Amino acid sequence: MERPVTMRIAPEQARSWLLVPASKPDTFTAALNSAADAVILDVEDAVTPAHKPKAREDVVAFLSGHARAWVRINDATTPFWEEDLAALSGLQGLEGVMLAKTESGQQVDATAERLPEGTKILALVESAVGLEAAPEIARTEGTFRLAFGSGDFRRDTGMDDSPTSMSYPRSRLTIASRAARIAAPIDGPTLGTDLDLLSRDCAITLSLGMAGKLCMTPAQTEPVNTGLSPSVADAAWAQDVIDDLGEDGSRVRDGSDLPRLAKAKKIHALATLFHIPTQN
């Protein structure tokens, strides 16, 4: 049974973004029934050119019923991009699109022009050119959130996957998002099945101001949700601070209290949203 719509997390706050190969339609329903906050049916990297027409047809058929999901479309420099948009435009179940290999705001604008007004566009930054254009992309009217295509970015730049090497591109996406007043960006995926590594990567994601993470398998979605949510201890601390200083700050004692209260209120709001208890 699909999870009730009321349990879905709004895409502005979505933590786990599950990528599902569009060439495997038998996995679509299971993906929607996973713990993922958002599901992305992938007609780009996950599908070879020869199989893209069939995969696109399967996505259209799935989203023409009662199902709802995002779709990762091919990048704007390929002929598949226009074919994807022509097929998806107006689909009732389309939550939005992820634009692969975004390198300019103009590409986002061109994508938005081919979709119904208000369709959400995730701009996936996967290259040095895209990263340099991140402020422009983030400020483009059609951009909903930025996402980091970390694997292709490393291939493009020759950088490794160490936290130190990846701290600059992640930070740049966070700062560009904040400056443009859009939701915090979505980090790239962790490869493999090592849950300790996934937990470490989630901590790095949060430390660099990102608030979501791409997932490669349904098994990663629940750990990512946990890793990108306030802990019970965090929620309890936030409640204690609010109780001490007052929701409106009426009991603030010195200048250090206001930043502490602001942090506590942010954590409390997320704990409420994600149903995290405020007592240990």
Side-chain angles (χ1 to χ4, degrees):
M1 180 182 295
E2 185 178 342
R3 288 188 296 159
V5 174
T6 54
M7 293 181 63
R8 297 287 184 187
I9 301 297
E12 291 86 352
Q13 290 90 26
R15 301 154 296 180
S16 53
W17 293 76
L18 177 59
L19 285 163
V20 182
S23 56
K24 299 179 179 180
D26 56 314
T27 66
F28 292 176
T29 299
L32 289 181
N33 291 336
S34 74
D37 285 343
V39 171
I40 307 171
L41 308 180
D42 185 5
V43 298
E44 193 234 359
D45 273 357
V47 183
T48 60
H51 293 95
K52 287 186 188 293
K54 177 61 166 61
R56 192 184 299 118
E57 289 175 8
D58 288 337
V59 167
V60 169
F62 188 67
L63 298 183
S64 295
H66 297 294
R68 297 187 63 83
W70 294 73
V71 179
R72 175 157 79 165
I73 62 174
N74 290 274
D75 76 84
T77 66
T78 71
F80 305 117
W81 171 75
E82 286 200 272
E83 295 169 1
D84 291 342
L85 292 172
L88 296 172
S89 182
L91 273 183
Q92 182 178 354
L94 183 68
E95 293 275 12
V97 301
M98 170 180 275
L99 177 60
K101 299 178 176 63
T102 309
E103 295 191 330
S104 71
Q106 183 179 12
Q107 291 177 341
V108 176
D109 281 337
T111 299
E113 288 171 1
R114 290 164 172 78
L115 292 168
E117 184 176 356
T119 301
K120 295 179 176 64
I121 299 173
L122 297 173
L124 185 62
V125 174
E126 305 183 75
S127 66
V129 172
L131 189 66
E132 286 296 282
E136 169 203 332
I137 295 168
R139 287 190 173 94
T140 300
E141 184 178 356
T143 300
F144 175 66
R145 281 178 85 170
L146 301 181
F148 186 30
S150 49
D152 279 339
F153 181 82
R154 292 195 300 271
R155 283 189 286 274
D156 182 52
T157 61
M159 300 169 73
D160 65 29
D161 64 351
S162 68
T164 300
S165 296
M166 291 295 100
S167 63
Y168 170 70
R170 286 171 168 144
S171 298
R172 184 167 173 83
L173 295 180
T174 294
I175 293 167
S177 297
R178 179 58 184 159
R181 299 296 189 267
I182 61 175
I186 300 160
D187 201 0
T190 296
L191 303 182
T193 59
D194 187 335
L195 293 183
D196 289 335
L197 176 61
L198 181 60
S199 177
R200 184 211 70 173
D201 284 354
C202 285
I204 293 170
T205 295
L206 281 181
S207 74
L208 293 170
M210 308 180 95
K213 188 170 176 63
L214 298 177
C215 299
M216 302 303 295
T217 67
Q220 290 184 328
T221 58
E222 190 167 352
V224 165
N225 288 343
T226 299
L228 298 186
S229 299
S231 67
V232 173
D234 290 336
W237 172 86
Q239 186 64 62
D240 287 345
V241 170
I242 293 170
D243 290 344
D244 180 36
L245 301 179
E247 180 76 28
D248 58 356
S250 58
R251 295 187 292 277
V252 164
R253 295 175 290 271
D254 57 48
S256 67
D257 282 343
L258 279 176
R260 196 157 60 98
L261 179 59
K263 178 180 179 181
K265 290 171 74 171
K266 181 178 180 180
I267 292 172
H268 180 74
L270 290 174
T272 300
L273 177 67
F274 300 138
H275 306 291
I276 308 298
T278 58
Q279 294 183 345
N280 285 299

